[in-house]
Amino acid sequence: MQSNVHPLHRYRVPVTVVLLLIIGSAATHWLPLGTDTEASADTSTPPSESPQSVETRLATLERTLDQTLKIQGQLLDLVNELSARLDPESEPPQTRHASVVMESADVQPAPEPNRSQRIRNRFERQRQNQVQQLVDAGFSHGRATAIVEKQERLQYEQMQYSYEYHHLQDKRSDRAKELQEKLQTYSNPRRVFEQELSTEEFEQYLNAYGGRTELEIGDLVDSAPAYEAGLRPGDKIIRYNNKRVFHMGDLRTQVYQAKPGESVAVEVQRQGSSSTETIYLPAGPLGIRG
């Protein structure tokens, strides 16, 4: 903040002091002469000086003193005039200083939040980032918010199941087995959303968090059903037994659910093709590696 004080105000006192020193020097220079002269007037006039010479010096001294006093008065008037112009209605320096401090206090940054507030802010930013990821993947803001809230709920329920299983006396009971299955499912929210979201939404969900949305064959076992059916590395499995397959875990789950001896429909997409086709393979392991 700029000060309202005139830029010459700070020099008022030094200028006054200098002027008074000049006046004092002039007076000091002439006063001894006057004293000596008065003393000589009380005594006899030196033979070397005539009465006319003494009168001339006295007249010169009087004129000099008059000029000095006149200059002194003018300088004092000038100092007063400068003081009035530079600071006509000056406030006490303490008051001006206090106003500067108060104005500086108005622009002080907000106090740093405490540890609890910082933690809440961090989790809120993390939550907003998750919502934005889902929005960028194609979800509406409301739907994205609901999915993030569901994820938080799943984490809480997982902790509840884990707590119950930890304090369960009989780890071989039916309840213990049920809790184990729930913990296995809730340990990965993707498995829950795979069942609750539509196929399109689940693909968007995987895209939002960098998950795989398709199973591409990396290698095959010779003479295995997939190899015998003509599948090769680079081909993709889209559905197995009419169930969407996103990764090797999905395929393994669906293979275990097919009954032995059945013929299972497998939707595939050949490498370099944008269309899909359906082939039929015997139930059981296909002999592929993702």
Side-chain angles (χ1 to χ4, degrees), residues 203-237:
E203 288 189 25
Q204 293 174 342
Y205 177 85
L206 293 177
N207 285 326
Y209 296 120
R212 295 181 59 177
T213 58
E214 56 189 14
L215 173 58
E216 181 175 333
I217 299 175
D219 195 12
L220 299 97
V221 178
D222 294 343
S223 72
Y227 185 87
E228 293 294 335
L231 295 179
R232 294 295 180 267
D235 295 343
K236 299 175 182 178
I237 297 180

Side-chain angles (χ1 to χ4, degrees), residues 18-36 61 64-73 75:
V18 171
L19 293 177
L20 293 177
L21 287 176
I22 294 174
I23 296 170
S25 298
T28 303
H29 176 74
W30 288 106
L31 287 176
L33 291 176
T35 304
D36 294 340
L61 177 60
T64 302
L65 290 175
D66 291 339
Q67 293 176 355
T68 302
L69 293 174
K70 184 178 180 180
I71 293 174
Q72 179 182 8
L75 290 177

Side-chain angles (χ1 to χ4, degrees), residues 83-110:
S83 299
R85 290 183 179 182
L86 294 178
D87 198 5
E89 295 180 359
S90 62
E91 297 178 354
Q94 295 81 357
T95 304
R96 183 176 298 109
H97 178 70
S99 65
V100 172
V101 173
M102 290 300 295
E103 292 177 5
S104 300
D106 292 340
V107 297
Q108 289 295 328

Side-chain angles (χ1 to χ4, degrees), residues 22 24 39 58 84 104 114 118 124 132 137 149 157 163 171 183 187 254 275:
I22 294 174
L58 288 174
S104 300
N114 55 31
R118 291 198 302 270
E124 182 61 26
Q132 188 59 47
E149 291 176 353
E157 292 178 357
Y163 178 82
K171 296 295 192 294
L183 287 174
S187 62
Q254 300 303 327
S275 59

Side-chain angles (χ1 to χ4, degrees), residues 53-231:
S53 176
V54 173
E55 293 176 356
T56 301
R57 291 181 60 187
L58 288 174
T60 302
L61 177 60
E62 290 176 354
R63 287 196 301 270
T64 302
L65 290 175
D66 291 339
Q67 293 176 355
T68 302
L69 293 174
K70 184 178 180 180
I71 293 174
Q72 179 182 8
Q74 292 176 347
L75 290 177
L76 290 175
D77 292 340
L78 179 60
V79 170
N80 293 330
E81 182 179 356
L82 288 175
S83 299
R85 290 183 179 182
L86 294 178
D87 198 5
E89 295 180 359
S90 62
E91 297 178 354
Q94 295 81 357
T95 304
R96 183 176 298 109
H97 178 70
S99 65
V100 172
V101 173
M102 290 300 295
E103 292 177 5
S104 300
D106 292 340
V107 297
Q108 289 295 328
E112 185 178 354
N114 55 31
R115 183 174 182 273
S116 299
Q117 185 62 41
R118 291 198 302 270
I119 294 175
R120 287 195 296 269
N121 293 341
R122 177 167 59 86
F123 278 107
E124 182 61 26
R125 288 194 301 269
Q126 180 181 354
R127 193 172 190 271
Q128 293 176 357
N129 290 337
Q130 291 177 345
V131 171
Q132 188 59 47
Q133 283 179 290
L134 293 171
V135 171
D136 294 340
F139 288 96
S140 66
H141 189 274
R143 184 61 170 162
T145 302
I147 291 176
V148 172
E149 291 176 353
K150 178 66 175 180
Q151 288 180 162
E152 295 172 351
R153 183 68 183 179
L154 291 177
Q155 293 175 355
Y156 171 69
E157 292 178 357
Q158 180 190 9
M159 294 178 64
Q160 284 185 315
Y161 293 139
S162 178
Y163 178 82
E164 182 180 354
Y165 182 81
H166 178 75
H167 292 278
L168 199 63
Q169 297 295 330
D170 187 2
K171 296 295 192 294
R172 297 182 179 181
S173 62
D174 294 339
R175 180 56 179 171
K177 294 179 182 179
E178 182 181 355
L179 290 174
Q180 288 176 354
E181 293 177 358
K182 289 183 178 295
L183 287 174
Q184 184 178 3
T185 301
Y186 279 72
S187 62
N188 187 356
R190 187 197 67 83
R191 298 175 182 174
V192 179
F193 287 115
E194 186 175 358
Q195 300 175 0
E196 296 187 359
L197 300 178
S198 65
T199 301
E200 180 181 359
E201 286 185 331
F202 188 62
E203 288 189 25
Q204 293 174 342
Y205 177 85
L206 293 177
N207 285 326
Y209 296 120
R212 295 181 59 177
T213 58
E214 56 189 14
L215 173 58
E216 181 175 333
I217 299 175
D219 195 12
L220 299 97
V221 178
D222 294 343
S223 72
Y227 185 87
E228 293 294 335
L231 295 179

Side-chain angles (χ1 to χ4, degrees), residues 37-58:
T37 305
E38 292 174 355
S40 64
D42 296 336
T43 59
S44 60
T45 304
S48 60
E49 294 184 356
S50 64
Q52 185 179 3
S53 176
V54 173
E55 293 176 356
T56 301
R57 291 181 60 187
L58 288 174

